Amino acid sequence: MPDPLAQRSIALGVTGSIACYKAVDLASKLTQAGALVDVIMTREACQFLTPLTFRSITHRPVVTDVFDPQSELSIDHVAIAERADALIVAPATAHTIAKLALGLADDALTTTALATQAPLIIAPAMDAHMFDNAATQQNASTLKSRGCVIAGPAEGRLASGLVGKGRLLEVPQLLGCLRQTLGRGGDLAGRKVVVSAGGTQEPIDPVRVIANHSSGKMGFAIAEAARDRGADVTLVTAPTALDSPFGVNVVKIATALEMRSALQNKCAHADALIMAAAVADWRPAAAADQKVKKGSSDTWDIELVKNPDIVAGISTECLIKVGFAAESEDLLANAQSKLLSKGLHLIAANDITAEHSGFGADTNKVILLDREGGEESLPLMSKYDVGHAILDRVAGYLS
Ligand code: CTP
């Protein structure tokens, strides 16, 4: 499945906040993803950056003024509004948010926002007190009640030196928001999809754990792919170095038992469970309360007890279950027996010794085995695309 941004027309409104430097990267990533990007800058944004900056990245004219004779908008002031698949204002200042809430149209950006029927995403960036101000809060909720997406702001260090809520979301989050918005109404719209990710960690004592090499990338990519097809996604994840994807409900756990109880809870009303986590099969029978000292002993015996098989133990009447079989030998035979013993609809057999498909890679090569006896060998693809291939099957079962 192509990137939801490819071939889409995205209008990017840039307003006068120092955070507009991030809009340059956003324009670049959108262009790289194959989107047609129309940048509209306010007069204040032009104090921070020049139109040439965006023009050099998007290779398209940049609109700054409705009355500029060079601008497309001087002839047809709704041209961009009409072709846009989404309008994202990033960064959006308190002033622009107020104008949008009032429905003012005194510049190219607010005129386009009023004229477009495309979804409107507003990514605020301002001082924390300005964002907290009752006027801004009310304007944001007015826009939200009209169906606008208010993306962020994030908490953190602000340009003023203060720490608070007012930072523009980072570019991957903004891209995630756009992909989710464009994917509304996809083939998983209205469906609840639960995904597990990462390698569980089983404590030995307060500083040591039994872990594995899972990076969590496969599960995170599936969660994003499901989000981009309109699903309501919950990601139950063991510790990873990855940022939470935009628009996904993330539940953080550490051990296999915690993962099981989170999944039992989330799957009660779910349509599908995709089990990409690498669950520890064993855990220490008892974790020591205090750090175990080296002491005088040269060896250390740890008694391990078996963890429950999570995916095998979860079943509701209509839950579609997908598992992974990470194997280093006898790939298909092992995967086939897991498909049956765990009561799965589908299993992705994954040779972890193959090039570019092991732990931590951004790509994967899997063979899909289904319970009807079907076998499909997929080429090496990005983990996001593997996610879509699995979700094609899930969507098929659900329909
Ligand atoms: N799985 C699970 N609970 C476990 C172990 C695994 O739900 N305690 C799930 C995994 O998330 C995966 C599938 O079962 O979707 C297969 O996991 P894998 O580690 O390949 O197999 P195991 O069942 O652990 O068997 P083995 O370690 O013997 O290969």
Side-chain angles (χ1 to χ4, degrees), residues 130-261:
M130 289 174 80
F131 185 68
D132 281 344
N133 189 289
T136 308
Q137 286 298 313
Q138 195 170 353
N139 290 332
S141 18
T142 300
L143 288 165
K144 216 167 162 180
S145 70
R146 290 184 203 142
C148 297
V149 179
I150 307 289
E155 243 179 276
R157 191 180 178 284
L158 305 171
S160 60
L162 298 174
V163 174
K165 199 167 180 190
R167 277 176 69 88
L168 179 65
L169 290 189
E170 298 301 325
V171 171
Q173 302 283 310
L174 296 171
L175 292 168
C177 180
L178 272 163
R179 290 190 172 106
Q180 179 183 38
T181 304
L182 293 168
R184 286 177 195 167
D187 60 359
L188 293 178
R191 298 296 190 177
K192 285 189 186 337
V193 174
V194 179
V195 183
S196 72
T200 62
Q201 296 188 352
E202 311 298 326
I204 300 171
D205 69 12
V207 293
R208 302 177 179 96
V209 294
I210 296 179
N212 61 65
H213 289 302
S214 171
S215 65
K217 285 182 180 176
M218 191 64 243
F220 276 57
I222 297 168
E224 288 176 326
R227 173 202 65 194
D228 299 345
R229 300 166 81 127
D232 171 356
V233 186
T234 298
L235 176 64
V236 175
T237 178
T240 73
L242 305 171
D243 291 328
S244 295
F246 183 93
V248 167
N249 313 304
V250 177
V251 179
K252 294 185 179 180
I253 51 81
T255 67
L257 293 181
E258 288 166 4
M259 179 169 275
R260 181 178 64 164
S261 84

Side-chain angles (χ1 to χ4, degrees), residues 196 256 259 263 274-282 307-313 322-327 334 338 341-342 344 347:
S196 72
M259 179 169 275
L263 287 174
I274 304 174
M275 197 70 198
V279 184
D281 289 322
W282 306 89
N307 271 327
D309 191 309
I310 300 175
V311 74
V322 180
F324 274 76
E327 307 293 344
N334 283 330
K338 286 175 189 176
S341 67
K342 293 171 192 266
L344 306 175
I347 195 158

Side-chain angles (χ1 to χ4, degrees), residues 261-287:
S261 84
L263 287 174
Q264 278 171 338
N265 180 279
K266 298 295 174 189
C267 286
H269 304 288
D271 296 291
L273 165 63
I274 304 174
M275 197 70 198
V279 184
D281 289 322
W282 306 89
R283 67 178 184 277

